[in-house]
Every structure is written in C-alpha cells, then in structure tokens.
Amino acid sequence: MNDAQKRWLPFELHTHTFHSDGKQTLLELAEGAKALGFSGVALTDHNTMTGLAGKEHVSRQTGVEIIPGLEWTTFFGHMVTLGIKEYVDWRNLSPFHLHRGIEDVHRQGGLAGVAHPFRVGSPMCTGCFWEFEVSDWRQIDYIEVWSGLFPSIQRINARAFAFWTDLLNRGFRIAATSGRDWHVPGPVSEPVSATFLGLSAAAANPESQPLADAAVDALRHGAASVSVGPLPLLSVRTEDGRELAGIGEAVMIPQGEPRKAVLASLSVDFAARDGQWELQKRTVEFRLNSNRGELAATELSRDRPVATCPIDASGVTWLRGEMYGVMHGVHTMIGFTNPIYFDIH
C-alpha cells in the first residue's frame, strides 16, 4: 500500500507510571502525551500491568489511545512487550531461555522488542544492558534503537542503530522504534521523538478494529517511521509509475528477472506534530541508505516536500530513508524510516 494512503499517527512506545518506578498516573501520562501531539502511548511498567486499570476511561477523557504493554525487567536485559492482554511472567527467563517468554507473548498476538540495548548496566541501571542470548532474531519483533530525549545525539543509540543495521544486512527483518522511557511528568526542553505507525484507513476505523490493535499490527508489519521532527516517508515504484512497496513492505522480483532501476519516492510531512519541534534550517537532507550503502540524497523543505530518485536496485535487499537536519545547534539525524525489502520469488 502507498504510504500516502496510510494514516500515520505518532505514538510513544515506552512509558511508566507510579505502578512501577514512574512518578505519574496514567491520566497524567495521557495528558502529557496529548500536549506533545501524540495519538497514543504504550504503558510499559516494569513487570506489572496494574497501571492499565481504567485505561478506557483515560482514553475517552484525553483522546489518547493506550496500548497495553509490560517491560520485562531482568538482570540480563529489558524487553518491552506490546499488545498483550494478560500478564506474561518474566521470572523464569535466564540468559539462554528468552524465547520461552517471547512465545508466550506471541501466543497473545503481542510483540516483543529489545529495549535500550546499549544503555549502561549495573550498578547504574540493573539489567539495562542487553545480555540475553537470542538464538533466532526472527522471533524479535523490533528494537528500540532510539531511547531517551534528543536520542540521535546519544552514543548508546548510535550503537543500537548500527546493531540494527547489521541485523538487516544479515537478512533479518526487524522493525526499529524510538522510546523515551518516560517516567516523570512535566515540560521538557530537549527534542522528543515519536514512532509514527502507518495504519490503513480500514484498520484505523474503531468499528472494525480498536486503534491500539491497529497500531500494534502496523508495527508488526514494519510500517513505522521515527522522528524528532517532521515525518519522513518512502515508497518505490516502477519507471512507468506502478507502485511496488511502501515502508515495511517487500518488492517482489520474479526469479531470473534482472533487478532494474526503480524510482524511490521520498517525502516529508512537515505538518506532522507541527509546533512540537523546530528546525534551524529551512531544509532537511533525505538520504537513501541500503545494504549497499548510500544510494541517493536530496534536500526537501516545506516548499518542496517530495522528490523522486531513480536507483539501481541490483544487489539491494533493504532500503530505508534517513533524514538529517539542524536542531538545538546540532546537525544530526532527526528521523528515519523502517526499510522496504527486496525479495526474489
């Protein structure tokens, strides 16, 4: 599906209330999320789901969707689980038996994601550094590659982003998200990241599917784009204009058919969470990166928010967009899309 045909909504996917180590109620969290332009939050308290009591009332009162979740907090790493209906016990997880817990999450239709894998561990943050042995990365649904405020300038996040890229190069199709790890209410002075999830028009209809479930499904299929500013989007089509794939989708190439040039459609939605961020230059640089390295780059702005770049798809297995700009006096990555994949069948 064309990304423009999806409804891209901003979510915060890693939060806490006083039911674990946060200092806010669920209502305060939702009110804070609304003030920051979020459509929804995932409540991921440490090893408990008691904070979700009354979430329907909070959603009706604030208009902010609440995705049920839980952060497994162990000595060997933290894992955020989303979209689960019932508590999943974390206490029998050893460094070598992580998949037992993941299977329980998947049985409920939920997602399991690695949280802040390179954050400093004990004694500063017990278990924050990821030490679980993952025997099959295909069972991991996503990695929180951006954590905290103004995440792109943090070294731990650069490591996580590079780790995710290496997994993509090894052939694993794992989504990437951001997570503030939000504990405390109140205003912030640093850029706040959002994970935009691409919902189809039908999926976003609450009569056909609850918004929280539609958001989890979008992430399950890799329809996610991350930004501290405007929303970067990416799709590919043939030279004659036929749509091939959007974010999280795969371009199907018949066996034996040579990979020809395709057109990459790059766009930036500058209206997304407008007023919640400020760029210090009128333009952003949009780069196309892949397993073959950088393939193209162009500048986009409110006056020119869309561009088309021909690329040679030979040898390409994944393709993503990366958006760079100047915030708080720093030139840095301010957003990225999840990949489009290339399949031979």
Side-chain angles (χ1 to χ4, degrees):
M1 177 184 294
N2 189 317
D3 288 339
Q5 297 174 320
K6 292 178 180 175
R7 188 174 165 217
W8 290 89
L9 300 181
F11 286 82
E12 168 53 61
L13 298 179
H14 190 160
T15 71
H16 299 278
T17 68
F18 69 86
H19 283 258
S20 59
D21 61 344
K23 294 181 172 20
Q24 55 194 339
T25 65
L26 183 59
L27 178 58
E28 289 172 329
L29 170 63
E31 289 174 337
K34 183 177 182 179
L36 289 171
F38 288 104
S39 297
V41 298
L43 180 59
T44 56
D45 275 324
H46 297 282
N47 299 333
T48 181
M49 297 180 71
T50 58
L52 289 162
K55 70 181 181 67
E56 292 82 5
H57 174 71
V58 170
S59 288
R60 286 194 300 269
Q61 184 173 341
T62 62
V64 174
E65 188 71 12
I66 310 296
I67 300 174
L70 168 74
E71 183 177 5
W72 286 340
T73 308
T74 79
F75 290 108
F76 315 109
H78 294 190
M79 173 162 273
V80 175
T81 63
L82 301 178
I84 55 176
K85 312 303 180 187
E86 299 176 358
Y87 177 82
V88 179
D89 201 344
W90 56 276
R91 289 171 296 179
N92 64 347
L93 300 181
S94 76
F96 312 106
H97 298 96
L98 175 67
H99 291 278
R100 292 187 304 201
I102 294 175
E103 288 170 1
D104 288 339
V105 171
H106 287 167
R107 270 194 288 270
Q108 293 190 39
L111 305 181
V114 176
H116 44 63
F118 294 104
R119 185 173 293 178
V120 176
S122 297
M124 295 180 64
C125 180
T126 300
C128 280
F129 191 88
W130 186 261
E131 296 182 273
F132 278 109
E133 180 178 298
V134 178
S135 59
D136 185 359
W137 280 99
R138 291 172 298 181
Q139 297 301 310
I140 304 294
D141 298 297
Y142 68 95
I143 299 175
E144 187 183 87
V145 299
W146 277 8
S147 177
L149 297 172
F150 207 173
S152 63
I153 66 170
Q154 297 186 37
R155 189 171 300 175
I156 61 168
N157 293 328
R159 288 186 67 187
F161 196 87
F163 179 63
W164 172 52
T165 301
D166 179 64
L167 288 170
L168 294 176
N169 287 337
R170 289 162 55 189
F172 296 105
R173 297 184 177 183
I174 301 175
T177 67
S178 67
R180 176 176 166 182
D181 204 352
W182 191 354
H183 286 76
V184 181
V188 293
S189 58
E190 296 178 90
V192 175
S193 182
T195 300
F196 291 85
L197 299 176
L199 286 63
S200 68
N205 181 355
E207 294 183 1
S208 62
Q209 184 182 32
L211 183 59
D213 292 346
V216 170
D217 279 347
L219 182 55
R220 189 191 323 277
H221 293 99
S225 194
V226 174
S227 180
V228 293
L231 166 63
L233 295 172
L234 176 66
S235 62
V236 295
R237 56 187 172 87
T238 61
E239 292 180 305
D240 60 5
R242 180 170 56 88
E243 199 70 35
L244 293 174
I247 295 171
E249 298 174 342
V251 178
M252 306 305 292
I253 302 170
Q255 185 74 37
E257 181 178 303
R259 299 192 188 190
K260 300 177 182 177
V262 298
L263 295 179
S265 296
L266 298 59
S267 65
V268 176
D269 182 357
F270 286 90
R273 293 183 69 233
D274 201 7
Q276 301 293 339
W277 47 266
E278 181 180 356
L279 291 171
Q280 292 172 261
K281 288 181 61 178
R282 290 173 54 98
T283 61
V284 296
E285 183 184 13
F286 200 124
R287 303 176 189 174
L288 286 179
N289 207 346
S290 74
N291 58 296
R292 285 178 40 214
E294 187 176 308
L295 299 181
T298 189
E299 288 194 341
L300 298 176
S301 66
R302 290 182 187 268
D303 298 328
R304 181 179 175 264
V306 179
T308 301
C309 295
I311 61 169
D312 179 2
S314 301
V316 173
T317 58
W318 61 266
L319 177 74
R320 73 173 174 231
E322 298 175 0
M323 183 174 63
Y324 292 78
V326 180
M327 280 188 170
H328 284 228
V330 181
H331 181 272
T332 183
M333 185 189 295
I334 59 172
F336 61 89
T337 74
N338 269 266
I340 294 173
Y341 300 98
F342 289 76
D343 267 346
I344 296 177
H345 67 99

